[in-house]
Amino acid sequence: MKKNIVKGFMALSLIVGLGSCKNNNGQETSAEDAKEAAEATAESMEYTVDTTASTISWIGEKPTGQHTGTIQVSEGTFMANDSIIESGNFTIDMTSIEVTDLEGDDKKSLEAHLMGTVEGKEGDFFNVNEYPDASFEVTGISETEGKMMLEGNLTIKDETKNISFPVSINKTDSGYEISSEEFKIDRTNWNVNYGSKSVFDGLGDKFIYDDITLKLDIKANKKA
């Protein structure tokens, strides 16, 4: 039986729109070619993502400062057996991009730019009218240097790359809690190129770093 674990994610992947963080927060991830989705065994049980208790946090940075925000998971399913998550997928609602460090008109303006709802700037970041969802699909879970690593295909703007990042997985009475450490992705691997010095020349100090920091907090409950 083949199941996927994460549609939609992260810039997440989520919100890779605003660029990257050139600080010491988070582990750098590499973006590789997409891999086969993980398969669940016949004995596995289904767990549904609690979208009200799940979120993705992001940080984007430029030379003059940084912005922080969140993005919501709209749906998802995990398959698990004997406290081991075997497969799964979840969807990220790119229209839910929120900026948390600004208020008022500044907040609305940046959110609109990231989502691409400003006329003439649709393609700068995420262009949610054309790409309303992102997704994450689990391809494996392994242990590296004492850390549990979640590996999966992250799709943003119809571009799919395989990434891995450290997570902690807690089995509860009702299901599972999956929390990642902060990790970084290079947004240009998903064609989010606005303000990137690696893509455009002559930006001077008016650029946005390519890396963006993400943190996943996902809760899934046993399907009734």
Side-chain angles (χ1 to χ4, degrees):
M1 178 171 57
K2 192 172 186 178
K3 297 281 183 177
N4 304 325
I5 195 174
V6 189
K7 281 181 179 179
F9 209 154
M10 155 254 225
L12 313 241
S13 179
L14 353 150
I15 302 182
V16 283
L18 193 56
S20 74
C21 298
K22 292 298 182 183
N23 53 32
N24 293 323
N25 295 329
Q27 170 178 311
E28 190 79 33
T29 65
S30 60
E32 302 177 354
D33 292 340
K35 298 181 179 181
E36 286 286 331
E39 295 186 0
T41 62
E43 296 79 17
S44 63
M45 302 188 69
E46 185 173 346
Y47 295 81
T48 302
V49 171
D50 182 350
T51 58
T52 63
S54 302
T55 191
I56 299 165
S57 304
W58 58 267
I59 306 171
E61 194 170 358
K62 53 188 177 180
T64 55
Q66 68 176 30
H67 292 293
T68 62
T70 60
I71 188 167
Q72 300 305 309
V73 176
S74 60
E75 62 179 353
T77 300
F78 292 88
M79 302 298 293
N81 182 32
D82 294 334
S83 300
I84 299 173
I85 290 178
E86 297 181 330
S87 67
N89 66 80
F90 63 80
T91 300
I92 304 163
D93 179 8
M94 300 305 293
T95 68
S96 71
I97 293 173
E98 181 178 6
V99 176
T100 56
D101 64 300
L102 299 175
E103 296 180 349
D105 290 343
D106 289 340
K107 172 184 171 72
K108 293 179 182 178
S109 177
L110 181 53
E111 288 172 349
H113 193 191
L114 291 173
M115 287 188 284
T117 57
V118 180
E119 186 176 357
K121 297 183 178 181
E122 292 86 352
D124 284 358
F125 290 105
F126 296 106
N127 196 355
V128 300
N129 288 327
E130 186 171 353
Y131 308 102
D133 296 320
S135 68
F136 185 84
E137 176 183 58
V138 171
T139 59
I141 296 179
S142 61
E143 186 171 331
T144 302
E145 297 180 351
K147 290 187 176 183
M148 186 173 296
M149 304 294 292
L150 178 62
E151 177 186 292
N153 295 325
L154 175 62
T155 300
I156 301 171
K157 296 176 71 174
D158 282 352
E159 187 71 34
T160 302
K161 298 290 183 181
N162 191 267
I163 62 172
S164 64
F165 48 90
V167 295
S168 61
I169 300 177
N170 179 40
K171 181 72 168 65
T172 67
D173 291 339
S174 59
Y176 286 89
E177 295 173 343
I178 304 170
S179 297
S180 76
E181 296 183 10
E182 288 187 342
F183 64 97
K184 299 177 184 179
I185 61 172
D186 182 341
R187 63 192 173 96
T188 63
N189 287 309
W190 289 268
N191 297 320
V192 183
N193 298 326
Y194 181 81
S196 169
K197 288 182 72 175
S198 66
V199 177
F200 302 105
D201 296 326
L203 294 177
D205 62 354
K206 306 296 184 182
F207 68 92
I208 301 170
Y209 292 116
D210 290 346
D211 285 347
I212 186 165
T213 299
L214 300 173
K215 186 181 186 305
L216 233 61
D217 290 290
I218 305 293
K219 182 178 180 180
N221 298 321
K222 186 176 179 180
K223 187 174 181 180

Short mmCIF file of all heavy atoms in Angstrom, two decimals, residues 2 17 23 28 34 39 41 54 78 80 98 105 129 169 174 187 212:
data_model
loop_
_atom_site.label_atom_id
_atom_site.label_comp_id
_atom_site.label_asym_id
_atom_site.label_seq_id
_atom_site.Cartn_x
_atom_site.Cartn_y
_atom_site.Cartn_z
N LYS A 2 0.59 2.12 -0.90
CA LYS A 2 1.44 3.28 -1.04
C LYS A 2 0.70 4.53 -0.60
O LYS A 2 -0.37 4.81 -1.08
CB LYS A 2 1.87 3.40 -2.49
CG LYS A 2 3.00 4.38 -2.72
CD LYS A 2 3.48 4.29 -4.14
CE LYS A 2 4.70 5.15 -4.35
NZ LYS A 2 5.21 5.03 -5.71
N GLY A 17 9.33 32.49 -0.11
CA GLY A 17 9.29 33.71 -0.88
C GLY A 17 10.24 34.75 -0.45
O GLY A 17 10.79 35.42 -1.30
N ASN A 23 22.32 33.53 8.91
CA ASN A 23 22.78 33.52 10.28
C ASN A 23 23.05 32.08 10.67
O ASN A 23 23.09 31.21 9.82
CB ASN A 23 21.74 34.18 11.20
CG ASN A 23 20.37 33.55 11.02
OD1 ASN A 23 20.25 32.38 10.72
ND2 ASN A 23 19.34 34.36 11.20
N GLU A 28 21.46 23.75 7.12
CA GLU A 28 21.33 23.90 5.68
C GLU A 28 20.93 22.56 5.06
O GLU A 28 21.48 21.51 5.40
CB GLU A 28 22.67 24.34 5.09
CG GLU A 28 22.59 24.77 3.63
CD GLU A 28 22.03 26.16 3.46
OE1 GLU A 28 22.27 27.01 4.33
OE2 GLU A 28 21.33 26.38 2.46
N ALA A 34 13.69 14.54 -7.08
CA ALA A 34 12.58 13.87 -6.39
C ALA A 34 12.83 12.37 -6.30
O ALA A 34 13.47 11.76 -7.17
CB ALA A 34 11.28 14.15 -7.12
N GLU A 39 6.42 3.78 1.25
CA GLU A 39 5.28 2.88 1.25
C GLU A 39 4.96 2.43 2.67
O GLU A 39 5.86 2.17 3.47
CB GLU A 39 5.56 1.66 0.38
CG GLU A 39 5.73 1.98 -1.10
CD GLU A 39 5.87 0.72 -1.94
OE1 GLU A 39 5.82 -0.38 -1.35
OE2 GLU A 39 6.01 0.86 -3.16
N THR A 41 3.11 -0.32 5.33
CA THR A 41 2.78 -1.75 5.40
C THR A 41 1.28 -1.93 5.59
O THR A 41 0.55 -0.99 5.95
CB THR A 41 3.52 -2.40 6.57
OG1 THR A 41 3.09 -1.79 7.80
CG2 THR A 41 5.02 -2.24 6.42
N SER A 54 -1.54 22.67 13.60
CA SER A 54 -0.32 22.48 12.82
C SER A 54 0.04 23.78 12.10
O SER A 54 -0.86 24.50 11.61
CB SER A 54 -0.51 21.37 11.78
OG SER A 54 -0.87 20.15 12.40
N PHE A 78 -0.89 10.69 7.65
CA PHE A 78 0.29 9.87 7.95
C PHE A 78 -0.14 8.42 8.12
O PHE A 78 -1.25 8.14 8.58
CB PHE A 78 0.97 10.32 9.25
CG PHE A 78 1.62 11.67 9.19
CD1 PHE A 78 0.89 12.81 9.48
CD2 PHE A 78 2.95 11.80 8.85
CE1 PHE A 78 1.48 14.06 9.43
CE2 PHE A 78 3.55 13.04 8.79
CZ PHE A 78 2.81 14.17 9.08
N ALA A 80 1.25 4.99 10.10
CA ALA A 80 2.22 4.61 11.13
C ALA A 80 1.93 3.22 11.65
O ALA A 80 0.78 2.76 11.67
CB ALA A 80 2.20 5.62 12.28
N GLU A 98 1.32 34.53 6.22
CA GLU A 98 1.13 35.65 7.15
C GLU A 98 2.49 36.17 7.60
O GLU A 98 3.41 35.40 7.87
CB GLU A 98 0.32 35.22 8.37
CG GLU A 98 0.08 36.37 9.35
CD GLU A 98 -0.77 35.98 10.54
OE1 GLU A 98 -1.09 34.78 10.67
OE2 GLU A 98 -1.10 36.88 11.34
N ASP A 105 -0.75 48.50 7.36
CA ASP A 105 -0.53 48.51 5.92
C ASP A 105 0.77 47.83 5.52
O ASP A 105 0.84 47.19 4.46
CB ASP A 105 -0.55 49.95 5.40
CG ASP A 105 -1.93 50.58 5.46
OD1 ASP A 105 -2.92 49.83 5.58
OD2 ASP A 105 -2.02 51.83 5.40
N ASN A 129 -2.31 32.76 -7.08
CA ASN A 129 -3.44 32.59 -7.99
C ASN A 129 -3.19 31.42 -8.95
O ASN A 129 -4.11 30.69 -9.33
CB ASN A 129 -3.69 33.87 -8.79
CG ASN A 129 -4.28 34.97 -7.92
OD1 ASN A 129 -5.04 34.71 -6.99
ND2 ASN A 129 -3.94 36.21 -8.22
N ILE A 169 9.69 13.08 16.87
CA ILE A 169 8.36 12.51 16.68
C ILE A 169 7.89 11.95 18.02
O ILE A 169 8.52 11.06 18.59
CB ILE A 169 8.38 11.41 15.60
CG1 ILE A 169 8.84 12.00 14.26
CG2 ILE A 169 7.00 10.78 15.46
CD1 ILE A 169 8.97 10.97 13.15
N SER A 174 -3.56 10.23 21.40
CA SER A 174 -4.46 10.44 20.26
C SER A 174 -3.78 10.33 18.91
O SER A 174 -4.45 10.23 17.88
CB SER A 174 -5.12 11.83 20.37
OG SER A 174 -4.13 12.85 20.38
N ARG A 187 15.64 29.01 -1.75
CA ARG A 187 14.39 29.25 -2.47
C ARG A 187 14.54 29.21 -3.98
O ARG A 187 13.59 28.89 -4.70
CB ARG A 187 13.81 30.61 -2.04
CG ARG A 187 14.72 31.80 -2.40
CD ARG A 187 14.26 33.07 -1.72
NE ARG A 187 15.20 34.17 -1.91
CZ ARG A 187 15.07 35.10 -2.85
NH1 ARG A 187 14.06 35.07 -3.69
NH2 ARG A 187 15.96 36.07 -2.94
N ILE A 212 16.08 30.43 3.22
CA ILE A 212 14.98 30.78 4.11
C ILE A 212 14.91 29.72 5.20
O ILE A 212 15.13 28.53 4.94
CB ILE A 212 13.65 30.89 3.35
CG1 ILE A 212 12.54 31.41 4.26
CG2 ILE A 212 13.25 29.56 2.75
CD1 ILE A 212 11.31 31.87 3.51
#
